[in-house]
Amino acid sequence: MAASSAYEAVIGLEVHTQLLTRSKIFCGCANAFGAPPNHHVCPVCMGMPGVLPVFNRRVLELTIRVGLTAHSQIAERSVFARKNYFYPDLPKGYQISQYERPLCVGGYIEVPGADGAPRKIRLTRIHIEEDAGKNIHRPEASLVDFNRSGAPLLEIVSEPDLHSAEEAAAYLRELRAMLRYLEVSDGNMEEGSFRCDANVSVRPRGASELGAKTEIKNLNSFKFVEKAINHEIARQTAVLQAGGKVEQQTHLWDAEREETRPMRSKEYAHDYRYFPEPDLPELQAPPGLVEAIRAQTPEVPSARRARYARDFGLSAYAIEVLTQEREVGDYFEALIKAGVHHKAAANWTMSEVLRAANASDQPLIRAIPAAAQTATLLKLVEQNRISLNGAKTAFAAMCKSGQDAAATVSALGLAQVSDEAAIAEACDLVLSTETDKVAEYRAGHEKLFGFFVGRVMKTTQGKANPKVVNEVLKRKLAP
Amino acid sequence: MNNELFRLTISQAQAALRRREFSAVELTRACLERISAVEPKLNAFLTVAESEALIQAAAADRRLANGAPALCGIPIGIKDIFATRGMRTTCASRILENFVPPFDATVVARLREAGAVFPGKLNMDEFAMGSSTENSAFGPTRNPYDLARVPGGSSGGSAAAVAADECLAALGTDTGGSIRQPAALCGVVGIKPTYSRVSRYGVVAFASSLDQVGPLTKTVRDSAIMMRALAGVDPRDSTCSARPVPDYEAALNGEIKNLRIGVPKEFFVEGMQPVVDSAVRAALKRLEADGAAVGEISLPHSQYAVATYYLIATAEASANLARYDGVRYGLRAEADDLSELYGRTRAQGFGPEVKRRIMLGTFALSSGYYDAYYLKAQRVRTLIRRDFEAAFGACDVIVTPTSPTTAFRLGEKTQDPLQMYLSDIFTISVNLAGLPALSMPCGYDGNGLPIGLQIIGPAFGEGVILRVADALERSAPVPRRRPAAV
């Protein structure tokens, strides 16, 4: 249910994303998903008495990369702060985060709007913090796994610039694609490396003041984000329409029942008692670091989209598909570089490459042949030496075998016959056995032309060049 | 063979061990025997690690055979606030009663490297919160000069053990005076280095922006030897300074001619015992006689130091002590749900002073009070720091009493926390300013109790305060008195 037109939704998102560093943020333990419980732990990330944090400089570099891409101001000096609360997965009883002075301030992310034109969603801040461990509840006991404790996190907070669940989802997709392009995060929602809380309020359309907001936690898929926000907009709109007042609350998304439910006030009524972390000095980027990162920062989705539209004149849909993941666009461009026409490269990437990549559980780069090999294959099509279908067959085989294009085409006998004499011979054979049909055709039943083509192709086991077959047949069937 | 090896100083023992006059095992055994003899009266040790110490001593003897490091074979007591790998580290709290750390504090590792022998872990006020060692969950330590009196705190076990010759030196920590005040009350030398001079890694945190590690020793020279072994950069402590560590001992040349000594007028206060006042003034006269120039200075904001300290230190403590929750290690109370687990574990595990400070600190950081308390305290801290900066424009070191009184009686101040807090009135501002300061004996009162004198230096001025202290020690009219009660 969408908000009734008398009301307008106002949405801000807080995204937590894990950074792809080798080690954790404040100790040397591996920052890795999937190990047995409490495998990647040490006295520091277990919060033993007397331990001290030592900041992983790589986190600074990755955060600056994100901040620059999001047009944020990079603070010359930022400050870590302790966020105090008790929870079993939080070993020190406080989380080291940033509060009054975050590393990145302001900025925006360009999101494709409903009309296709880019829309700027402003950011409030991007700050650095450490992740907590994970509670595992069993009937007999609750257990804690501290492998994730101390994993580096970015919190990216948007301004309340979003007005619908669809827009929120588009922002999240864009942000996730950006983080993946920048190679700072894998954006994996299932593994919890990309998590989202949404602040949702509803106000009469045209009002300038914000209504009371609900914070929805636990949104761990794009689908849930959309559903939860729509549910919350509908709920708040109904409250307002009935003349009621929306209460400022924290809700939890219940994926089973597909509804949000308020958390007990005890679960969220925290006074976090932030204060500057005395164990860490102010965070200062060494001179030149920001500029060095700026010079190396890769292209982001919005820039790539603009370039594809400008240079290749592709459709909005094609651009969307080709820029969703960085490797897809990279592959598309590699084909062009290898001499494939951009139209053919786009079509092939969107169909065959994505089909093969989706069918594989390997990363794209390992699931499909090198672009040079694919380009060779596509040139054979261009030169009429194999058919398009033959190329698809060869490509699928190459994905499995890893063999090169030429070897695959010859091994599968896909080389196309363009020799007129050979094709004429096949045509003669077909026409001589189908004398009735030939007579019908000559009597004006021109639809039978396709039938003859089919028979010739069958006779040549699909290897005949269809263009040549057409020409020869036309000639031979002429009255 | 000298059967009172435990009486030796580090520098005496170093020389004798190198000359192989006796072995490290013999020295360690002497200390362990001394510990058995006096511990029933003092209760300075929470853990005595006899067999481990003898193993360390035997290893030290092997190293002594071929060019040994600085502290090889020297028995050094460790305040029970330092993580010691494989050895119980309680912080004098029920909540860590059976906690055995899997790692060494950096300074403990450095002492191991330097060949030191650890006879055991020393008593203290729980989590270093207190000025008398009466806040230990495992009973108070007594002053070796008078068993009815406190040794001071929080490093009371360290000061008493060194004074009573149970070990040649000890490690302490000082957040508001916890090395200097017990050193004063037990008649030993104690130095709190510049904040960041010594690594805090593996030191159970009380107030992170104030805590510093330092030695308690029998002589100034021994403090210089210990400082060289302890100080220096540590990749595990981001607040630790990378400045090179000088040879403090080499600088003890007795030369203080034209040295400018500042005496803050605000530090000779009402409530100070006259005997303390006169002993400090007599010491200043001796320094003047050696060529130093003594002049009055002012530290106008020092009157706010105690209030400022009890906001900042408790705020940081409230966060630092949150990890004792019964989940991963330490005491875990029986409970039916999570909040009960937290509540009961912490109710049973912490003593009353620790609870008081956690509550104070939690309050100071609370929404609505943060600006009025914590933030304001930080501003005053800056003013106090500036006072010292200005003062050190006009003098090289500052001399004050360490504590307004000599050792007080057990139980005398336990009912009045504010009176207890005031026994650190001269030491606290130094922590707030992050400066180095040393306490050394400068006389005895009518009851034979030691009186402490404090020498404060500018940041990283450990060298100059050790030099002044050494000069003062040399000019002492009477030698150090042995504690009467042990």
Side-chain angles (χ1 to χ4, degrees):
Chain A
M1 183 167 94
S4 102
S5 61
Y7 293 94
E8 175 190 48
V10 181
I11 303 158
L13 298 177
E14 289 171 20
V15 168
H16 288 89
T17 189
Q18 266 179 26
L19 296 177
L20 289 170
T21 56
R22 299 232 313 263
S23 56
K24 292 185 179 183
I25 184 168
F26 295 125
C27 63
C29 288
N31 175 32
F33 182 83
N38 297 312
H39 184 72
H40 297 308
V41 295
C42 72
V44 175
C45 57
M46 288 285 281
M48 292 241 170
V51 298
L52 296 171
V54 177
F55 181 59
N56 178 348
R57 304 297 293 189
R58 184 76 185 143
V59 173
L60 177 66
E61 294 166 19
L62 295 183
T63 309
I64 291 174
R65 195 186 284 178
V66 176
L68 288 175
T69 307
H71 316 278
S72 302
Q73 251 187 299
I74 312 297
E76 262 176 54
R77 292 158 167 269
S78 67
V79 174
F80 287 106
R82 291 186 183 178
K83 179 181 183 179
N84 296 286
Y85 64 96
F86 284 98
Y87 208 56
D89 65 9
L90 189 69
K92 298 187 295 297
Y94 57 84
Q95 177 193 33
I96 302 179
S97 178
Q98 297 193 304
Y99 185 56
E100 282 182 328
R101 293 173 65 185
L103 179 57
C104 306
V105 180
Y108 61 88
I109 288 173
E110 278 189 339
V111 175
D115 55 354
R119 209 165 95 65
K120 283 181 185 174
I121 306 301
R122 290 170 305 153
L123 299 185
T124 313
R125 58 190 280 155
I126 303 172
H127 72 244
I128 300 170
E129 60 189 28
E130 60 179 335
D131 210 343
K134 216 173 185 169
N135 290 347
I136 300 157
H137 300 288
R138 297 259 174 83
E140 69 281 8
S142 287
L143 306 168
V144 199
D145 175 6
F146 290 100
N147 282 344
R148 206 178 69 179
S149 166
L153 280 186
L154 285 193
E155 180 170 331
I156 302 164
V157 183
S158 87
E159 290 284 300
D161 283 357
L162 301 157
H163 298 292
S164 71
E166 297 71 32
E167 227 175 29
Y171 164 83
L172 287 177
R173 271 194 290 273
E174 185 65 20
L175 180 58
R176 181 175 172 275
M178 181 182 115
L179 295 169
R180 288 172 58 86
Y181 267 55
L182 296 178
E183 293 176 336
V184 300
S185 173
D186 63 17
N188 191 325
M189 283 185 118
E190 289 76 49
E191 291 177 6
S193 52
F194 188 87
R195 316 195 281 268
C196 175
D197 299 337
N199 290 307
V200 180
S201 65
V202 167
R203 65 184 172 191
R205 196 167 290 280
S208 55
E209 280 186 23
L210 291 173
K213 68 172 183 188
T214 301
E215 185 179 3
I216 315 171
K217 292 187 172 287
N218 200 28
L219 299 174
N220 53 13
S221 82
F222 288 114
K223 197 176 72 187
F224 291 165
V225 170
E226 289 204 52
K227 281 190 172 168
I229 290 175
N230 275 331
H231 178 275
E232 190 54 28
I233 293 172
R235 190 190 69 82
Q236 291 188 21
T237 304
V239 170
L240 294 178
Q241 275 172 337
K245 248 182 84 182
V246 174
E247 259 185 89
Q248 179 142 345
Q249 277 177 328
T250 298
H251 283 226
L252 210 58
W253 171 248
D254 185 333
E256 301 270 298
R257 298 197 197 159
E258 301 210 333
E259 60 181 32
T260 63
R261 61 171 176 82
M263 294 169 81
R264 282 176 298 136
S265 64
K266 261 177 84 177
E267 290 176 302
Y268 72 91
H270 284 303
D271 175 358
Y272 290 120
R273 306 189 311 280
Y274 284 98
F275 71 101
E277 167 57 274
D279 286 332
L280 290 166
E282 280 187 346
L283 186 54
Q284 266 180 284
L289 181 69
V290 172
E291 286 321 307
I293 294 171
R294 196 192 297 277
Q296 291 165 7
T297 296
E299 187 182 47
V300 292
S302 54
R304 185 172 266 190
R305 279 196 299 268
R307 186 164 59 84
Y308 284 7
R310 191 183 61 229
D311 293 0
F312 306 128
L314 297 173
S315 72
Y317 173 76
I319 290 173
E320 179 69 26
V321 173
L322 291 173
T323 56
Q324 198 69 254
E325 296 286 345
R326 181 174 162 184
E327 307 87 78
V328 176
D330 287 351
Y331 198 84
F332 160 66
E333 293 186 42
L335 289 179
I336 295 172
K337 217 176 229 167
V340 180
H341 186 268
H342 65 256
K343 282 263 154 52
N347 288 336
W348 191 264
T349 305
M350 289 164 65
S351 55
E352 301 313 306
V353 170
L354 285 179
R355 189 199 327 280
N358 290 338
S360 164
D361 45 16
Q362 300 262 19
L364 182 132
I365 208 79
R366 255 179 277 151
I368 55 172
Q373 289 304 319
T374 306
T376 304
L377 201 60
L378 293 178
K379 267 179 249 170
L380 292 176
V381 176
E382 227 172 78
Q383 295 159 0
N384 289 325
R385 292 177 48 198
I386 58 173
S387 68
L388 194 61
N389 277 329
K392 289 177 182 175
T393 308
F395 185 79
M398 286 158 71
C399 289
K400 290 206 182 80
S401 68
Q403 297 258 309
D404 69 19
T408 307
V409 166
S410 93
L412 296 178
L414 294 167
Q416 187 162 265
V417 178
S418 297
D419 175 35
E420 268 211 45
I423 290 174
E425 204 176 303
C427 291
D428 287 343
L429 184 70
V430 169
L431 297 183
S432 65
T433 53
E434 301 285 354
T435 46
D436 292 0
K437 292 272 188 347
V438 172
E440 272 181 58
Y441 178 85
R442 289 196 172 131
H445 212 100
E446 293 193 354
K447 276 189 184 157
L448 279 169
F449 189 75
F451 164 79
F452 297 119
V453 173
R455 288 299 308 268
V456 173
M457 293 308 287
K458 201 172 171 191
T459 311
T460 60
Q461 292 164 314
K463 289 179 204 166
N465 180 340
K467 221 166 109 196
V468 181
V469 172
N470 274 336
E471 283 167 19
V472 173
L473 273 175
K474 278 237 169 83
R475 219 165 43 228
K476 288 194 183 285
L477 284 165
Chain B
M1 191 190 80
N2 186 344
N3 59 2
E4 288 207 331
L5 293 179
F6 53 83
R7 301 267 185 223
L8 296 174
T9 65
I10 294 176
S11 71
Q12 289 166 344
Q14 261 181 345
L17 282 167
R18 287 198 180 132
R19 289 195 300 266
R20 315 306 298 270
E21 286 175 26
F22 48 81
S23 68
V25 168
E26 284 168 317
L27 177 59
T28 298
R29 218 181 273 288
C31 287
L32 290 169
E33 278 163 19
R34 176 69 173 169
I35 289 169
S36 321
V38 303
E39 270 307 288
K41 295 179 189 165
L42 290 186
N43 192 36
F45 279 84
L46 293 178
T47 302
V48 178
E50 204 171 312
S51 51
E52 290 93 328
L54 287 168
I55 291 168
Q56 280 181 305
D61 277 327
R62 289 194 293 277
R63 289 172 87 177
L64 278 162
N66 35 44
L71 295 169
C72 200
I74 306 293
I76 296 173
I78 311 284
K79 185 179 182 179
D80 210 16
I81 199 168
F82 294 91
T84 41
R85 189 185 191 113
M87 194 189 290
R88 197 171 74 119
T89 298
T90 68
C91 233
S93 181
R94 292 271 171 226
I95 214 155
L96 288 176
E97 188 166 2
N98 299 305
F99 176 66
V100 178
F103 64 104
D104 270 336
T106 295
V107 286
V108 170
R110 284 195 181 151
L111 291 181
R112 269 194 219 282
E113 273 296 291
V117 172
F118 303 143
K121 304 293 293 283
L122 293 159
N123 201 6
M124 55 186 282
D125 285 298
E126 184 180 4
F127 285 102
M129 296 178 181
S131 309
S132 69
T133 315
E134 290 166 293
N135 294 334
S136 168
F138 309 113
T141 296
R142 288 161 192 274
N143 191 310
Y145 286 85
D146 179 349
L147 299 178
R149 292 177 188 269
V150 302
S154 67
S155 308
S158 301
V162 173
D165 296 317
E166 293 178 282
C167 45
L168 273 60
L171 278 189
T173 58
D174 189 317
T175 305
S178 279
I179 287 173
R180 291 159 289 157
Q181 185 258 16
L185 270 48
C186 291
V188 298
V189 179
I191 180 163
K192 181 210 91 83
T194 309
Y195 184 80
S196 81
R197 179 71 288 188
V198 180
S199 167
R200 294 184 292 116
Y201 184 78
V203 181
V204 179
F206 159 18
S208 312
S209 74
L210 298 159
D211 297 343
Q212 255 299 284
V213 173
L216 292 99
T217 59
K218 297 176 187 179
T219 65
V220 173
R221 180 167 298 273
D222 283 4
S223 273
I225 294 169
M226 286 287 287
M227 274 306 299
R228 193 167 188 207
L230 297 175
V233 69
D234 178 9
R236 292 182 181 278
D237 178 357
S238 319
T239 64
C240 195
S241 170
R243 279 170 84 111
V245 179
D247 183 346
Y248 298 111
E249 191 186 5
L252 303 181
N253 55 15
E255 187 51 66
I256 56 165
K257 210 155 252 143
N258 300 323
L259 188 105
R260 297 168 303 165
I261 297 176
V263 179
K265 60 179 183 197
E266 293 85 359
F267 278 43
F268 290 81
V269 293
E270 237 178 280
M272 183 158 80
Q273 286 173 345
V275 65
V276 171
D277 184 304
S278 57
V280 172
R281 291 193 190 281
L284 285 167
K285 284 271 178 297
R286 273 153 50 209
L287 290 168
E288 261 182 325
D290 281 347
V294 176
E296 193 179 79
I297 57 150
S298 177
L299 299 169
H301 295 96
S302 53
Q303 58 174 313
Y304 305 113
V306 172
T308 302
Y309 173 87
Y310 277 96
L311 289 168
I312 293 172
T314 56
E316 292 179 5
S318 72
N320 283 331
L321 272 64
R323 69 191 62 194
Y324 309 107
D325 57 6
V327 174
R328 284 146 298 125
Y329 49 77
L331 181 78
R332 176 187 289 178
E334 284 294 319
D336 292 330
D337 63 35
L338 187 60
S339 75
E340 215 174 82
L341 173 75
Y342 289 150
R344 287 191 185 166
T345 299
R346 292 167 69 82
Q348 292 167 21
F350 290 137
E353 181 61 25
V354 172
K355 287 176 187 161
R356 182 180 295 125
R357 295 201 194 187
I358 290 173
M359 285 190 280
L360 261 173
T362 304
F363 182 77
L365 290 174
S366 294
S367 140
Y369 297 96
Y370 179 88
D371 288 4
Y373 292 110
Y374 181 80
L375 205 59
K376 193 168 206 169
Q378 288 293 7
R379 295 203 176 108
V380 178
R381 183 176 187 176
T382 302
L383 296 176
I384 289 171
R385 191 177 287 138
R386 285 189 193 147
D387 277 2
F388 277 104
E389 279 164 16
F392 281 116
C395 65
D396 300 307
V397 296
I398 293 170
V399 167
T400 76
T402 306
S403 187
T405 68
T406 52
F408 46 91
R409 289 178 187 285
L410 271 98
E412 192 178 323
K413 298 186 180 181
T414 43
Q415 294 315 305
D416 187 351
L418 275 181
Q419 273 309 307
M420 189 73 91
Y421 295 173
L422 286 175
S423 71
D424 293 326
I425 189 164
F426 300 140
T427 48
I428 271 177
S429 55
V430 175
N431 297 77
L432 290 168
L435 300 176
L438 170 150
S439 176
M440 63 184 292
C442 71
Y444 298 87
D445 72 4
N447 298 317
L449 297 171
I451 297 166
L453 171 139
Q454 175 174 242
I455 306 172
I456 307 167
F460 299 99
E462 285 80 4
V464 64
I465 61 179
L466 283 162
R467 183 154 54 88
V468 175
D470 175 59
L472 190 61
E473 197 175 60
R474 291 177 195 212
S475 72
V478 288
R480 188 169 82 93
R481 284 190 212 167
R482 283 196 189 149
V486 287

